[in-house]
Structure formats: structure tokens, C-alpha cells
Amino acid sequence: MYRQRLLITLLSSLLIAWVCGTYFDHRFKENWQRVFFDKGDACANSTPDYDLLFFGDSRVQFGIDPYYVDSCTKLSSFNFGIAGADPRVTALFANWYLENHPAPKIVAINLDEYSIDSTDAFEAMFGLLYYLKSPTVTDAMKKMHYNTALIKLLPFTKYSFFDDYNRMTIFRSDLNASGSAYGKYSYRGFTSLNPLNFKDHAIVIDDGKNKDFKINLAQVANMENIITSFLQKGTKVLLFYPPIKDSIFETEKIKKEIAIKTGTQLSAKFNIPYIRFDTMSLFKTDMFFDHAHLNETGASILSKKMGEEINELIFKQ
């Protein structure tokens, strides 16, 4: 009798955990669909294939709208930019995409100061735990010390690995919150920023830390591996530096100069273009959401110019 009650209790507990986990899955995916899961689904699903892929951090995610790029190039593109992404994240999504798709014709990779700095974006990318059917993702998460075997067996246990912020967003998404930085428009991985909340997100604190900034050689090596991998597959690769406000602090400019020097060196080493959008006079102050991110108007201008540059640099070589 005792064993029977124990078994019933155990099965009931597992059933409740499964129901709660299924509900949490639905809510978390719903809340982060257009800024993360659209990108994961594009990698995991075998169709459609894209001709042109964009990789990078939030300056790509909020700055490159495939709609305008495609209208110029007549290609089919997707934006894999993710806030906080470093070359490790870019490599993961690139390899994951190639797991289920042929190599694209072209990839455009953002190389700025955030690309060559240390971040914890990879370690905190909990959305990847929903895609453990992928060998690429599973291997990456194992290296981050996640118990992937347990999560595969009991999917609801992944929530025990979430940090407080991501647990909170199961029930409340920043995408829909009052005062959110996110706009309403999204398309193939691109998400607009909300111009009405510019003042809330435009403040940058100069803490002086950047004056001692040093390049992260491991991140540069990761970037070189990404470039080499695509070139070996016959994909044309270009690097670019997005627009940025001239009013950034002197210590931010130090990081920018180091990043541009790195991009120039990689461009020469691999004989690939490095487009400097920061030197173009197209981007006015009112096109920025904050010092480094474009608003929807600025993103449309950048995307059209990106399409023109691709036509000029890639198709007319």
C-alpha cells in the first residue's frame, strides 16, 4: 500500500511538473518569439533557405531590416543579430544554421568594439535549452556546464537553470511592457526600437573603464574561425562597422579605434570587404535610438545602404 501511494505521488508530481513546464514553455516562447525564437526556429527548421545572413549583436538585431536589403539585392536574407552576442554566439548560430541548411551565398558580420570584448551573453542564453535536439546546440550547452541529459529527459528541469530575470519574463515580457525599448515591427530576425522611449534608454555612463580596454584575442580567433569556415564553403564574407553617434565619450572612442584596426587587419588578411558605415554622413542624430543603436528610420536607411554596398562589392567584383 505504501509503495502504491509513493508511486501515485511520484507520478502525480511528474504530471504537475510536466503541465507547468509545458505552460512555462508556451509563455516564455510567446514573450521572446520575435527577438530570439524566430532566430532559433530559422536554424532548426530545414526550410526556408536564405541567400544572405547577417550576424552580430544588438546593433545588427535592431539595425538591419532584411525587407529593405532584399528589395535592393533581390536576395532572401535573415537577421541573426542578438543583443550582447559575441563571436562565440555568432559561431554557434552559424554552425547551427549550417546543420540544417546549405551554405548561404553571402554572410555579413558586424565587427565592432563589442565583438572583440568579453561578454557573458553565451552563458546566459537560456533560450537555447529549448533546442537540445540539435547536436550543435547540445554540444555548446554542455561546454557551458548545463546538464543537457537531464533537460532532455525531463524538459521542465531547464527552468532550474534560469536566472531571476529570465524566470520573471516567463510571466512578463519586456517586449510588451510599458516603456519597453522594443517597437512593434519585426521581420526575419529584425526588431524595431521604440522611438517614444528614447529618453529612457539614451543615457550612457562614462565610468572610465574603457581607457584600459584591451582586445580579447580569443574573440578575434573566434571571428577568424567563422570567416574561414564560410570561405571554405564558398560563401562570400563581408565585415562591417555600424553607424554610431559622434558624441560618444573619449574612452568609447578608444574601443572603437581598436575594433576598426582589428576589422581592417582581418579584411586584409582574408581579402574581404570591411564596410565603415560610421564614416557615412547619411545617419543624422534623429535616426538614433541611443548612442549606438538606430531607430526604425535609421535602420531603414542603413538596410538600404547595406543592400547597395552588397550589390557594389559582391556582385560587381
Side-chain angles (χ1 to χ4, degrees):
M1 194 68 175
Y2 170 77
R3 291 182 179 179
Q4 186 178 18
R5 288 200 303 268
L6 181 62
L7 180 61
I8 292 173
T9 301
L10 177 61
L11 292 177
S12 299
S13 299
L14 288 174
L15 177 61
I16 292 170
W18 179 83
V19 170
C20 290
T22 301
Y23 175 69
F24 291 166
D25 286 354
H26 170 75
R27 288 301 305 271
F28 192 77
K29 288 180 178 179
E30 181 181 52
N31 287 340
W32 292 108
Q33 184 66 44
R34 60 195 180 98
V35 296
F36 183 83
F37 287 102
D38 279 353
K39 303 173 197 294
D41 292 346
C43 290
N45 298 332
S46 59
T47 57
D49 300 324
Y50 294 99
D51 304 310
L52 167 60
L53 307 180
F54 294 98
F55 292 103
D57 54 27
S58 57
R59 297 171 76 185
V60 176
Q61 180 176 13
F62 305 125
I64 302 291
D65 185 346
Y67 176 84
Y68 294 105
V69 176
D70 295 355
S71 67
C72 294
T73 62
K74 309 306 178 187
L75 298 173
S76 174
S77 65
F78 196 93
N79 182 334
F80 282 105
I82 295 179
D86 60 20
R88 295 178 303 161
V89 177
T90 294
L92 168 64
F93 275 84
N95 292 330
W96 186 13
Y97 179 86
L98 293 172
E99 189 179 282
N100 297 305
H101 302 267
K105 295 178 181 178
I106 307 167
V107 296
I109 306 171
N110 171 34
L111 197 156
D112 60 16
E113 50 269 39
Y114 308 103
S115 307
I116 55 174
D117 200 357
S118 299
T119 76
D120 60 357
F122 204 166
E123 289 81 351
M125 204 155 288
F126 301 103
L128 292 171
L129 295 174
Y130 293 81
Y131 295 102
L132 295 181
K133 289 182 179 180
S134 161
T136 300
V137 175
T138 298
D139 182 61
M141 300 313 281
K142 279 182 179 179
K143 291 178 180 177
M144 292 297 107
H145 307 295
Y146 288 95
N147 192 332
T148 56
L150 176 64
I151 296 171
K152 285 181 178 180
L153 179 64
L154 302 171
F156 55 82
T157 60
K158 62 178 166 285
Y159 294 103
S160 65
F161 295 94
F162 276 40
D163 59 16
D164 290 341
Y165 173 75
N166 281 276
R167 288 194 192 101
M168 177 193 71
T169 59
I170 295 172
F171 303 100
R172 183 189 69 81
S173 170
D174 278 359
L175 271 69
N176 304 314
S178 175
S180 170
Y182 300 105
K184 299 295 184 183
Y185 172 70
S186 59
Y187 180 75
R188 287 188 185 172
F190 167 78
T191 302
S192 65
L193 289 171
N194 188 347
L196 298 177
N197 294 315
F198 170 82
K199 293 182 179 179
D200 295 335
H201 301 269
I203 299 174
V204 179
I205 299 173
D206 185 13
D207 56 13
K209 293 180 180 179
N210 294 328
K211 65 182 180 181
D212 298 320
F213 174 78
K214 293 182 180 179
I215 190 170
N216 187 320
L217 296 177
Q219 297 290 39
V220 177
N222 287 332
M223 183 67 75
E224 290 186 348
N225 290 337
I226 296 166
I227 295 169
T228 299
S229 176
F230 275 115
L231 290 176
Q232 290 176 342
K233 291 177 173 59
T235 298
K236 294 181 178 179
V237 179
L238 65 87
L239 305 174
F240 66 96
Y241 188 99
I244 194 168
K245 275 189 176 181
D246 292 332
S247 58
I248 59 174
F249 293 110
E250 288 301 319
T251 49
E252 285 284 334
K253 291 179 181 178
I254 294 172
K255 292 178 69 175
K256 176 183 174 182
E257 289 170 2
I258 293 173
I260 289 171
K261 181 180 179 180
T262 303
T264 303
Q265 291 172 342
L266 292 180
S267 172
K269 179 176 181 177
F270 292 98
N271 191 27
I272 58 177
Y274 183 39
I275 306 173
R276 293 277 308 280
F277 290 106
D278 62 302
T279 63
M280 300 180 184
S281 59
L282 291 170
F283 305 99
K284 311 302 180 184
T285 300
D286 61 358
M287 294 181 182
F288 284 86
F289 176 79
D290 58 20
H291 76 292
H293 299 92
L294 296 167
N295 58 28
E296 191 170 338
T297 300
S300 67
I301 300 298
L302 173 59
S303 303
K304 292 173 185 175
K305 187 62 178 174
M306 175 67 80
E308 294 172 3
E309 292 288 331
I310 288 173
N311 284 339
E312 185 68 26
L313 291 170
I314 301 297
F315 293 123
K316 293 186 179 180
Q317 285 183 342

